[in-house]
């Protein structure tokens, strides 16, 4: 196995540094963060491990070519020069995606087409047959990135996006992606020793992700990956990784995680999701509690702990418990009354949230929930008011 392969891990913007830490733990070398991801080097086994263990990555790509280009003909020739037949054949369904920054080429669509033509012509030349294109359900995905004068071609190792852990029964209202939920927990500095509350838990994403972290359960254990279908797949390395990941699971971890939501319907869904995530026993013995309740009246499950949540914003309060501004003001009343000693981390696209809460945030971090630019606000709570560690206030 070559030890100097190049990879790129994609993640939601704002989580790059934490992703780099995860990748190092998987054995990655030379991590270099870029907006929206981390470039790294290592063996293919490291990339398999990143697929299996990363909670923050959306996808792991294997860079199969880096070359200079000036026009569309160069792009076609580059795509045709790669030994695609080493990884897949004409019977696989193909999809090509392209991103570009500062490219001189006029049309990204045409550049994408030329890359697709290069791959298809290569395979026809080598195998006598053309692969078909299928954007909805591809077997193989190729990603291309054009910068001002450099073309990178990547083979996707993940397949379905990595935030799909394989446990979600149904979506509920505006669920967070699992990797963003894990990112919130990482940014908040949550560890299993700290009691955790999500008073707007919806389908339970944050609570379930936290329980899985406490259980040391690798997020990719129950799903399949694109690399398993590629020619040259290293079965033994993968079996070793799976065996070690299964052995690491701790079903008895001591932890207290509470998720509540005003909607009994979504709580049912959250409990179903937790069951599908293998957390039935945690629900039964109360280490993971998912229960109906109004955030304006929820009681703290411990003297101190972390609140991590994405409350409704804009028009999105369903079922409509109150207009959002009033809901936030009432929530603040409860936080000030009952949650002294706790720290609350709230994700919102609404920059007005601190004013609605009449609390001063001690930190705000820019994060993207899909295309939506959000802030992740930290509030330190003291009974009857708030505390501000002024020097620490910053936007990152
Ligand atoms: C943005 S969603 C949270 C989604 C959740 N993080 C997930 O991944 O599924 C906001 C949630 O707040 C709930 N909600 C609205 N008003 C509430 C209230 N007064 N108390 C508790 N939950 C409330 C809604 O039912 C909705 O599920």
């Amino acid at each position: 196995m070559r030890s100097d392969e190049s990879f790129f891990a994609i993640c939601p913007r704002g989580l790059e540094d934490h992703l780099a830490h995860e990748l190092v733990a998987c054995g990655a070398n030379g991590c270099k963060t870029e907006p929206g991801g981390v470039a790294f080097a290592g063996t293919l086994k490291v990339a398999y491990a990143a697929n299996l263990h990363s909670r923050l990555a959306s996808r792991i790509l294997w860079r199969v070519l880096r070359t200079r280009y000036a026009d569309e003909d160069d792009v076609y020739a580059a795509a045709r020069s790669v030994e695609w037949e080493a990884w897949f054949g004409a019977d696989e369904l193909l999809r090509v995606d392209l991103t570009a920054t500062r490219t001189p080429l006029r049309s990204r669509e045409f550049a994408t087409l030329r890359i697709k033509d290069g791959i298809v012509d290569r395979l026809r030349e080598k195998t006598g047959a053309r692969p078909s294109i299928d954007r909805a359900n591809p077997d193989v995905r190729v990603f291309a990135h054009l910068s001002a004068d450099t073309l990178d071609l990547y083979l996707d190792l993940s397949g379905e996006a990595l935030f799909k852990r394989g446990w979600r029964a149904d979506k509920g209202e505006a669920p967070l992606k699992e990797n963003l939920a894990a990112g919130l927990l990482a940014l908040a500095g949550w560890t299993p020793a700290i009691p955790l509350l999500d008073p707007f838990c919806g389908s339970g994403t944050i609570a379930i992700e936290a329980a899985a972290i406490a259980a040391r359960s690798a997020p990719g254990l129950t799903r399949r990956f694109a690399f398993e279908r590629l020619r040259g797949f290293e079965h033994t390395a993968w079996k070793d990784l799976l065996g070690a990941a299964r052995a690491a699971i701790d079903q008895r971890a001591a932890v207290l995680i509470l998720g509540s939501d005003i909607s009994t319907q979504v709580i049912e869904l959250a409990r179903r999701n937790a069951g599908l995530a293998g957390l039935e026993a945690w629900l039964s013995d109360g280490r993971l509690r998912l229960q109906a309740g109004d955030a304006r009246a929820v009681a703290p499950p411990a003297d101190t702990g972390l609140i991590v949540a994405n409350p409704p914003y804009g028009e999105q309060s369903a079922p409509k418990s109150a207009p959002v501004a009033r809901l936030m003001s009432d929530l603040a009343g409860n936080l000030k009354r009952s949650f002294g000693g706790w720290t609350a981390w709230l994700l919102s696209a609404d920059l007005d949230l601190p004013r609605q809460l009449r609390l001063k945030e001690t930190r705000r971090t820019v994060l993207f929930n899909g295309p939506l630019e959000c802030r992740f606000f930290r509030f330190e709570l003291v009974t009857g008011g708030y505390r501000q560690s002024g020097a620490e206030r910053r936007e990152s």
Side-chain angles (χ1 to χ4, degrees), residues 142-391:
V142 170
F143 282 78
H145 182 72
L146 295 169
S147 56
D149 59 3
T150 303
L151 163 67
D152 287 326
L153 289 176
Y154 297 94
L155 197 51
D156 170 42
L157 294 177
S158 301
E160 280 223 285
L162 294 178
F163 67 80
K164 295 189 181 164
R165 315 288 201 222
W167 54 254
R168 196 177 281 283
D170 188 6
K171 289 203 162 105
E173 194 211 340
L176 282 180
K177 289 191 170 138
E178 288 72 358
N179 59 341
L180 186 55
L184 299 185
L185 291 166
L187 289 165
W190 180 77
T191 65
I194 304 173
L196 179 71
L197 167 66
D198 176 358
F200 297 98
C201 76
S203 59
T205 319
I206 295 172
I208 292 172
E209 199 61 30
I213 291 169
R216 299 175 185 279
S217 171
L221 259 181
T222 55
R223 50 159 284 162
R224 309 304 301 262
F225 298 93
F227 61 76
E228 296 176 74
R229 295 182 63 122
L230 294 177
R231 293 176 184 162
F233 168 50
E234 309 264 358
H235 288 268
T236 316
W238 181 231
K239 254 179 60 196
D240 291 350
L241 286 168
L242 281 179
R246 287 194 186 108
I249 293 179
D250 174 7
Q251 285 293 1
R252 290 201 298 260
V255 75
L256 176 55
I257 299 166
L258 176 64
S260 57
D261 196 286
I262 199 160
S263 160
T264 45
Q265 225 177 333
V266 297
I267 282 296
E268 254 172 54
L269 173 64
R271 295 177 67 86
R272 188 139 50 94
N273 282 333
L276 291 169
L279 297 164
E280 203 65 67
W282 300 53
L283 284 174
S284 312
D285 63 23
R287 285 176 294 163
L288 173 61
R289 300 179 199 161
L290 296 169
Q291 57 202 37
D294 191 325
R296 294 167 290 187
V298 68
D303 288 344
T304 112
L306 283 184
I307 293 174
V308 179
N310 70 313
Y313 59 85
E315 294 307 306
Q316 183 206 32
S317 161
K320 299 251 178 302
S321 53
V324 168
R326 213 180 71 224
L327 171 60
M328 290 303 117
S329 145
D330 293 348
L331 169 72
N334 186 24
L335 295 180
K336 290 171 194 172
R337 244 184 346 263
S338 312
F339 283 83
W342 281 65
T343 301
W345 290 79
L346 303 178
L347 179 74
S348 180
D350 194 345
L351 291 178
D352 218 22
L353 181 72
R355 205 182 53 80
Q356 291 168 351
L357 293 168
R358 273 187 262 127
L359 285 172
K360 188 89 190 146
E361 76 276 19
T362 52
R363 184 175 293 184
R364 56 160 77 190
T365 304
V366 178
L367 272 184
F368 283 79
N369 184 2
L372 197 65
E373 184 175 328
C374 295
R375 297 291 181 282
F376 193 33
F377 296 101
R378 181 179 70 183
F379 303 99
E380 282 167 44
L381 305 169
V382 291
T383 311
Y386 64 87
R387 185 167 58 219
Q388 180 181 14
S389 43

Side-chain angles (χ1 to χ4, degrees), residues 40 65 97 101 115 140 179 208 296 330 358:
F40 66 98
L65 183 75
D97 288 278
T101 41
I115 290 169
V140 175
N179 59 341
I208 292 172
R296 294 167 290 187
D330 293 348
R358 273 187 262 127

